[in-house]
């Protein structure tokens, strides 16, 4: 005990210099750190700084919005774009500062930003009334006397002219048949290869598509018989009535269709939505070169889920959907008699 | 809003993002998801419900929700809006007849309060088809230039070939990251 005491006394006498030095070093380090911190971040993580910057920015944006007059359309657009951008930056600034703000300040700032966004939108509506976007394939059709002809790829150059661009593009320039009555329509394998085919607004027609398209859209078709080779991806059917459809595909999506028979080869799944009286049977059409077309399409000829139809309006499992049926074997068509006219 | 921001900060450590993929039926949403994840795309069926995939990309953990686009399913889309960081809108560029539907559905989504903070990526899909509209034509038809409420970008892609899928997703990640993760 005594020895310890002596030792202790000894130390207190001996060490001060060392302690002093260390203390000095510690203080210096502290000072250095403080300086470093100040130079880096303190300015930005300070509530006063935030408030000042925020309100300055806010005032600038408000000025921008209020000075935006109806007279010069282009200038007004530019200013509103500016205001939108600045508001977004302000929001980002607020987000970055959220850690050191009090709940109250945060709420206030958030409300200000929202108000700014609101007034930008209002101002935009005032200065630039919304452009009306029109898109009607029907008007496009009637304005095109040539639309009743099968549309081939050679017509590509005619689209995209002037204001009507969107209208024209809707119906023209698409490979397939549109707006035809009471005819036999045929496409050959060589030209159809892996294209996207559209059949629309047909009535009382027989359509035969040899070859393997990539995808097929069938829309607004009445009392037609449509035969088609293997389709690599999906077939999309919409608004068909009284038709007989015969094809192979990877997916079939059927919408708004009534009283239609489908002779189907589908490797994944067929679905119906908003349909009534649709009936299914297995695909039984053959033509010369079909095996090769199956190879091109990538479809497995042995895998056919034609009878597993999902009805999106009938999700009750257990009870079958009343919207589709299987065609009884005795009533199935077996001879498609794809006799071609000599033309 | 304040709480949401703080929650987003908390995600910072995991660098996790939630992406919601929507679009009309037959647009190719599931195909994009599967292709992006390196899965087989030849057996895909029309989506009855939804698919969810969690995958790692560039150090981010992505939760991607792919919700069926059939008309009868669209009213359920809203169930998936909550805490979405990025909205991926997929368009069938070859389906000219439904572009107007497509524009309307997208317009309605952008008014949703719960999607207000989300970044929008528009995929003009099926560019591999000869009859597909260009991404600029899609941009015009969907009047994307009028969108001022969201950060957006349109990318032409093909889910079947995988072309440009990465470009689009990378843009989306960068934009979201700049917004919800503060710099270290």
């Amino acid at each position: 005990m005594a020895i310890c005491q002596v030792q202790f006394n000894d130390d207190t006498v001996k060490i001060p210099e060392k302690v002093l030095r260390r203390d000095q070093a510690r203080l210096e380090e502290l000072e250095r750190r403080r300086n470093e911190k100040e130079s880096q971040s303190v300015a930005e993580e300070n509530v006063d700084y935030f408030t000042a910057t925020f309100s300055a920015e806010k005032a600038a944006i408000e000025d921008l919005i209020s000075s935006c007059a109806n007279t010069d359309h282009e200038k007004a657009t530019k200013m509103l774009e500016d205001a939108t951008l600045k508001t977004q930056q302000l929001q980002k600034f607020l987000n970055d500062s959220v850690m050191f703000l009090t709940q109250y300040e945060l709420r206030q700032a958030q409300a200000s930003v929202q108000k700014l966004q609101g007034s930008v939108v209002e101002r935009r509506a005032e200065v630039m009334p919304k452009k009306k976007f029109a898109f009607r394939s029907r008007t496009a059709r009637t304005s095109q006397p040539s639309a009743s002809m099968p549309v081939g790829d050679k017509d590509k150059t005619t689209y995209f002219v002037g204001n009507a661009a969107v209208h024209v593009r809707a119906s023209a320039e698409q490979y397939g048949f549109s707006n035809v009555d009471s005819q036999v329509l045929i496409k050959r394998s060589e030209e159809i290869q892996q294209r996207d085919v559209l059949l629309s607004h047909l009535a009382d027609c027989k359509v035969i598509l040899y070859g393997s398209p990539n995808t097929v859209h069938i829309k607004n078709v009445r009392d037609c018989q449509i035969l088609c080779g293997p389709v690599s991806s999906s077939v999309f059917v919409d608004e068909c009535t009284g038709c007989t459809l015969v094809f192979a595909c990877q997916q079939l999506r059927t919408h708004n269709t009534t009283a239609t028979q489908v002779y189907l080869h589908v490797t994944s799944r067929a679905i119906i939505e908003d349909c009534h009286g649709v009936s299914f049977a297995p695909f039984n059409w053959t033509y010369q070169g079909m095996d090769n077309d199956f190879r091109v399409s990538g479809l497995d000829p042995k895998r056919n889920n034609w009878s597993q139809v999902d009805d999106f309006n009938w999700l009750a499992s257990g009870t079958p959907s009343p919207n589709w049926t299987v065609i009884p074997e005795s009533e199935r068509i077996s001879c498609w008699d794809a006799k071609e006219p000599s033309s | 809003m304040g709480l949401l921001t703080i929650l987003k900060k908390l995600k910072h450590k995991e660098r996790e993002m939630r992406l919601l993929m929507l679009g009309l039926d037959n647009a190719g949403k599931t195909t994009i998801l599967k292709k992006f994840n390196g899965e087989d795309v030849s057996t895909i069926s029309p989506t009855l419900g939804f698919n969810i995939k969690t995958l790692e990309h560039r150090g981010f953990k992505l939760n991607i929700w792919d919700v069926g686009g059939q008309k009868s399913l669209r009213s359920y889309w809203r169930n998936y809006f909550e805490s979405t960081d990025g909205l991926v809108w997929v368009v069938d560029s070859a389906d000219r007849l439904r572009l107007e539907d497509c524009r309307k559905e997208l317009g309605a989504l952008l008014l949703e309060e719960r999607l207000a903070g989300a970044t929008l990526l528009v995929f003009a899909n099926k560019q591999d088809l000869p009859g597909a509209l260009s991404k600029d034509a899609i941009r015009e038809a969907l009047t994307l230039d009028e969108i001022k409420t969201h950060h957006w970008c349109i990318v032409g892609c093909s889910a079947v070939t995988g072309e440009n899928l990465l470009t689009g997703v990378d843009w989306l990640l960068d934009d979201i990251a700049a917004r919800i993760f503060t710099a270290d």
Side-chain angles (χ1 to χ4, degrees), chain A residues 81 84 88 91-92 95-96 98-99 103 106 110 114 121 124 130-131 133 135 137 156 159-160 165-166 169-174 194-196 198 200 214-215 217 219 234 236 238 250-253 255-256 267-271 273-274 303 310 312-313 315, chain B residues 1-3 5-6 9 25-27 31 41-49 70-74 76 92 94-100 103 126 128-134 137-138 140-143 145-146 148-151 177-183:
Chain A
E81 298 265 307
T84 314
Q88 278 165 359
Q91 176 75 61
K92 171 92 173 92
N95 287 355
D96 288 344
V98 82
M99 284 311 198
Q103 277 300 313
L106 185 62
Q110 194 58 54
Q114 258 159 16
V121 171
R124 182 174 289 119
K130 253 202 173 158
K131 262 185 275 169
F133 176 81
F135 187 107
S137 53
K156 264 192 178 168
Y159 87 112
F160 234 116
V166 177
R169 272 188 275 123
S171 58
E173 209 253 324
Q174 182 112 32
Q194 290 301 301
R195 304 194 63 143
D196 43 323
L198 172 68
S200 71
N214 188 307
T215 181
H217 285 239
K219 178 145 184 173
S234 65
F236 193 92
D238 198 6
Q250 196 246 324
Q251 286 184 4
L252 168 65
R253 300 172 185 254
H255 301 262
N256 309 302
T267 55
S268 81
R269 218 36 98 86
I271 67 112
E273 185 178 53
D274 303 325
R303 187 156 143 199
D310 288 327
F312 275 71
N313 305 108
L315 299 178
Chain B
M1 194 61 177
L3 181 61
T5 321
I6 289 164
K9 298 269 165 186
D25 47 320
N26 203 34
T31 310
V41 297
S42 67
T43 57
I44 294 168
S45 305
T47 307
L48 228 174
Q70 304 293 331
K71 203 181 253 168
S72 45
L73 295 180
R74 290 179 207 160
Y76 299 102
D92 176 353
D95 187 358
R96 294 139 201 262
L97 298 181
R98 289 199 300 162
L99 275 180
E100 177 60 9
R103 186 186 68 83
K126 307 200 185 181
D128 55 306
L129 296 179
L133 293 173
S134 72
I138 299 285
E140 186 193 342
L142 301 186
T143 57
D145 290 306
E146 285 181 17
K148 307 293 178 192
T149 47
H150 296 66
H151 288 190
R179 183 158 43 80
I180 67 174
F181 303 133
T182 49

